[in-house]
Short mmCIF file of all heavy atoms in Angstrom, two decimals:
data_model
loop_
_atom_site.label_atom_id
_atom_site.label_comp_id
_atom_site.label_asym_id
_atom_site.label_seq_id
_atom_site.Cartn_x
_atom_site.Cartn_y
_atom_site.Cartn_z
N TRP A 71 6.44 -14.96 1.00
CA TRP A 71 6.83 -13.90 1.91
C TRP A 71 7.22 -12.62 1.07
O TRP A 71 6.48 -11.70 0.98
CB TRP A 71 7.97 -14.34 2.80
CG TRP A 71 8.40 -13.32 3.75
CD1 TRP A 71 7.63 -12.32 4.28
CD2 TRP A 71 9.72 -13.14 4.32
NE1 TRP A 71 8.39 -11.54 5.16
CE2 TRP A 71 9.69 -12.04 5.19
CE3 TRP A 71 10.94 -13.81 4.19
CZ2 TRP A 71 10.75 -11.59 5.95
CZ3 TRP A 71 12.02 -13.38 4.90
CH2 TRP A 71 11.90 -12.26 5.73
N VAL A 73 7.45 -11.93 -2.50
CA VAL A 73 7.17 -12.54 -3.79
C VAL A 73 8.19 -12.07 -4.86
O VAL A 73 8.66 -12.86 -5.74
CB VAL A 73 5.77 -12.21 -4.28
CG1 VAL A 73 5.43 -12.91 -5.54
CG2 VAL A 73 4.82 -12.58 -3.15
N ARG A 74 8.54 -10.82 -4.75
CA ARG A 74 9.41 -10.17 -5.76
C ARG A 74 10.72 -10.98 -5.94
O ARG A 74 11.26 -11.13 -7.07
CB ARG A 74 9.68 -8.76 -5.28
CG ARG A 74 10.07 -8.00 -6.32
CD ARG A 74 10.16 -6.58 -6.45
NE ARG A 74 10.98 -6.36 -7.63
CZ ARG A 74 10.53 -6.57 -8.79
NH1 ARG A 74 9.32 -6.91 -9.02
NH2 ARG A 74 11.36 -6.40 -9.85
N PHE A 75 11.26 -11.47 -4.86
CA PHE A 75 12.55 -12.14 -4.90
C PHE A 75 12.35 -13.67 -4.73
O PHE A 75 13.27 -14.36 -4.47
CB PHE A 75 13.51 -11.59 -3.94
CG PHE A 75 13.97 -10.19 -4.31
CD1 PHE A 75 13.45 -9.11 -3.58
CD2 PHE A 75 14.84 -9.97 -5.31
CE1 PHE A 75 13.84 -7.83 -3.91
CE2 PHE A 75 15.23 -8.69 -5.60
CZ PHE A 75 14.71 -7.63 -4.97
N GLN A 115 13.35 -5.80 30.42
CA GLN A 115 14.18 -5.81 29.27
C GLN A 115 15.08 -7.04 29.14
O GLN A 115 15.27 -7.64 28.09
CB GLN A 115 15.00 -4.51 29.14
CG GLN A 115 14.17 -3.33 28.96
CD GLN A 115 15.09 -2.05 28.70
OE1 GLN A 115 16.25 -2.12 28.43
NE2 GLN A 115 14.46 -0.90 28.87
N TYR A 140 18.87 -16.01 6.95
CA TYR A 140 19.79 -14.89 7.09
C TYR A 140 19.08 -13.87 7.98
O TYR A 140 19.84 -13.24 8.82
CB TYR A 140 20.10 -14.30 5.75
CG TYR A 140 21.14 -13.22 5.82
CD1 TYR A 140 22.43 -13.57 5.89
CD2 TYR A 140 20.80 -11.85 5.95
CE1 TYR A 140 23.44 -12.59 6.01
CE2 TYR A 140 21.75 -10.95 6.01
CZ TYR A 140 23.10 -11.26 6.05
OH TYR A 140 24.06 -10.27 6.19
N GLU A 144 20.85 -12.77 11.53
CA GLU A 144 21.32 -11.41 11.86
C GLU A 144 20.52 -10.85 13.00
O GLU A 144 21.05 -10.17 13.85
CB GLU A 144 21.16 -10.52 10.65
CG GLU A 144 22.08 -10.73 9.50
CD GLU A 144 23.37 -9.91 9.68
OE1 GLU A 144 23.97 -9.91 10.78
OE2 GLU A 144 23.78 -9.31 8.67
N GLY A 155 25.95 -5.72 26.44
CA GLY A 155 26.31 -4.32 26.68
C GLY A 155 25.56 -3.70 27.86
O GLY A 155 26.07 -2.84 28.52
N ARG A 162 32.25 -4.18 29.17
CA ARG A 162 31.19 -4.78 28.34
C ARG A 162 31.07 -4.06 26.95
O ARG A 162 30.70 -4.70 25.99
CB ARG A 162 29.89 -4.71 29.04
CG ARG A 162 29.47 -3.28 29.40
CD ARG A 162 28.23 -3.34 30.31
NE ARG A 162 27.65 -2.00 30.39
CZ ARG A 162 28.03 -1.09 31.24
NH1 ARG A 162 29.01 -1.34 32.07
NH2 ARG A 162 27.40 0.10 31.21
N LEU A 178 27.85 -10.74 6.43
CA LEU A 178 27.69 -9.99 5.17
C LEU A 178 28.30 -10.74 4.06
O LEU A 178 27.74 -10.69 2.95
CB LEU A 178 28.35 -8.60 5.36
CG LEU A 178 27.51 -7.63 6.20
CD1 LEU A 178 28.30 -6.38 6.54
CD2 LEU A 178 26.20 -7.28 5.54
N HIS A 189 21.39 -16.28 -7.94
CA HIS A 189 21.34 -16.04 -9.36
C HIS A 189 21.74 -17.29 -10.19
O HIS A 189 21.28 -17.60 -11.22
CB HIS A 189 22.31 -14.89 -9.73
CG HIS A 189 21.63 -13.61 -9.35
ND1 HIS A 189 20.56 -13.11 -10.06
CD2 HIS A 189 21.90 -12.70 -8.37
CE1 HIS A 189 20.24 -11.95 -9.48
NE2 HIS A 189 20.94 -11.72 -8.45
N ASN B 364 18.01 5.19 27.14
CA ASN B 364 17.18 4.10 27.54
C ASN B 364 16.67 4.25 28.98
O ASN B 364 15.57 3.79 29.33
CB ASN B 364 17.96 2.74 27.44
CG ASN B 364 17.12 1.56 27.75
OD1 ASN B 364 15.92 1.54 27.41
ND2 ASN B 364 17.71 0.56 28.41
N PRO B 385 18.89 -6.92 9.46
CA PRO B 385 17.49 -7.34 9.54
C PRO B 385 17.08 -7.55 10.99
O PRO B 385 17.96 -7.67 11.84
CB PRO B 385 17.55 -8.74 8.82
CG PRO B 385 18.99 -9.18 8.83
CD PRO B 385 19.78 -7.87 8.96
N PHE B 390 17.74 -3.31 5.84
CA PHE B 390 18.41 -4.45 5.33
C PHE B 390 17.95 -4.78 3.84
O PHE B 390 18.73 -5.02 2.97
CB PHE B 390 18.18 -5.71 6.20
CG PHE B 390 18.46 -6.98 5.55
CD1 PHE B 390 19.81 -7.28 5.25
CD2 PHE B 390 17.49 -7.87 5.16
CE1 PHE B 390 20.09 -8.50 4.66
CE2 PHE B 390 17.84 -9.06 4.49
CZ PHE B 390 19.14 -9.38 4.28
N TYR B 391 16.60 -4.74 3.65
CA TYR B 391 16.13 -5.01 2.26
C TYR B 391 16.55 -4.01 1.32
O TYR B 391 16.70 -4.30 0.15
CB TYR B 391 14.55 -5.13 2.35
CG TYR B 391 14.22 -6.39 3.25
CD1 TYR B 391 13.86 -6.18 4.51
CD2 TYR B 391 14.30 -7.64 2.73
CE1 TYR B 391 13.61 -7.29 5.31
CE2 TYR B 391 14.04 -8.74 3.45
CZ TYR B 391 13.68 -8.57 4.75
OH TYR B 391 13.48 -9.64 5.53
N ASN B 398 21.61 -7.19 -4.67
CA ASN B 398 21.09 -8.23 -5.54
C ASN B 398 21.16 -7.77 -7.05
O ASN B 398 21.65 -8.49 -7.91
CB ASN B 398 19.67 -8.55 -5.16
CG ASN B 398 19.08 -9.60 -6.06
OD1 ASN B 398 19.71 -10.65 -6.24
ND2 ASN B 398 17.87 -9.33 -6.59
N VAL B 413 29.82 -4.24 0.76
CA VAL B 413 29.57 -4.96 1.96
C VAL B 413 30.58 -4.64 3.07
O VAL B 413 30.24 -4.32 4.20
CB VAL B 413 29.56 -6.45 1.63
CG1 VAL B 413 29.92 -7.31 2.91
CG2 VAL B 413 28.21 -6.88 1.12
N PHE B 432 24.04 1.55 26.96
CA PHE B 432 25.13 1.09 27.83
C PHE B 432 25.65 2.19 28.74
O PHE B 432 26.35 1.90 29.70
CB PHE B 432 26.26 0.50 27.04
CG PHE B 432 25.91 -0.57 26.06
CD1 PHE B 432 26.81 -1.03 25.09
CD2 PHE B 432 24.67 -1.14 26.03
CE1 PHE B 432 26.48 -1.97 24.15
CE2 PHE B 432 24.26 -2.10 25.17
CZ PHE B 432 25.22 -2.55 24.23
N ILE B 463 9.61 -6.51 8.21
CA ILE B 463 9.10 -7.88 8.31
C ILE B 463 8.24 -8.20 7.07
O ILE B 463 8.26 -9.31 6.60
CB ILE B 463 8.29 -8.07 9.63
CG1 ILE B 463 9.21 -7.91 10.79
CG2 ILE B 463 7.56 -9.42 9.68
CD1 ILE B 463 8.50 -7.81 12.10
N ASN B 466 7.28 -6.78 1.08
CA ASN B 466 6.88 -7.10 -0.19
C ASN B 466 6.20 -5.95 -0.97
O ASN B 466 6.60 -5.63 -2.08
CB ASN B 466 5.92 -8.26 -0.07
CG ASN B 466 5.84 -9.09 -1.35
OD1 ASN B 466 6.70 -8.91 -2.19
ND2 ASN B 466 4.86 -9.89 -1.47
N MET B 469 8.45 -2.83 -1.90
CA MET B 469 9.40 -3.27 -2.89
C MET B 469 8.79 -3.37 -4.28
O MET B 469 9.30 -2.86 -5.30
CB MET B 469 9.94 -4.62 -2.52
CG MET B 469 11.39 -4.68 -2.21
SD MET B 469 11.78 -6.36 -1.78
CE MET B 469 13.20 -6.05 -0.86
N ALA B 473 9.42 -1.25 -7.74
CA ALA B 473 9.86 -1.97 -8.95
C ALA B 473 8.97 -1.75 -10.08
O ALA B 473 9.31 -1.44 -11.25
CB ALA B 473 10.01 -3.41 -8.66
#
Side-chain angles (χ1 to χ4, degrees):
Chain A
W71 182 29
V73 184
R74 199 164 167 73
F75 292 103
Q115 291 185 16
Y140 187 82
E144 287 269 49
R162 60 187 194 275
L178 286 170
H189 286 290
Chain B
N364 184 37
F390 165 69
Y391 295 97
N398 180 50
V413 154
F432 308 167
I463 295 170
N466 205 13
M469 243 180 205

